[in-house]
Amino acid sequence: AWPRQSTNPIESQNNSLKITKGSLVKTNRGVFYLLVSLGKLKIENADIFVLSVASPLGQQLVNKQAGDKFLFTGVGYEILQVD
């Protein structure tokens, strides 16, 4: 189940949310769900990468919000939406 009700789990309702445990995050490099490390899941024909906030990428995402950019292992990420 998704942490927030929506007809489309990738569709953002509020782009000013800061990323925390339980956030669904759409970036230019994919969609990430911060909870526990489960790897890649396919939900409604979308690939969702489920990872822990303690993981290296999870640590980079926490406390950021839509519009923020960062580098991770030399790759540029831009946060597009946060739910």
Side-chain angles (χ1 to χ4, degrees), residues 20-79:
T20 62
K21 185 176 181 178
S23 293
L24 183 67
V25 182
K26 183 177 181 183
T27 74
N28 62 321
R29 300 282 179 191
V31 179
F32 302 91
Y33 182 39
L34 275 71
L35 194 57
V36 296
S37 294
L38 294 176
K40 184 170 84 170
L41 301 177
K42 187 171 277 298
I43 300 173
E44 295 182 11
N45 296 320
D47 289 332
I48 310 289
F49 296 91
V50 184
L51 50 100
S52 166
V53 294
S55 69
L57 182 54
Q59 290 176 356
Q60 289 291 314
L61 289 167
V62 169
N63 290 321
K64 290 187 172 50
Q65 59 189 24
D68 288 349
K69 298 177 183 180
F70 65 96
L71 285 176
F72 179 71
T73 64
V75 177
Y77 286 77
E78 180 179 2
I79 299 168

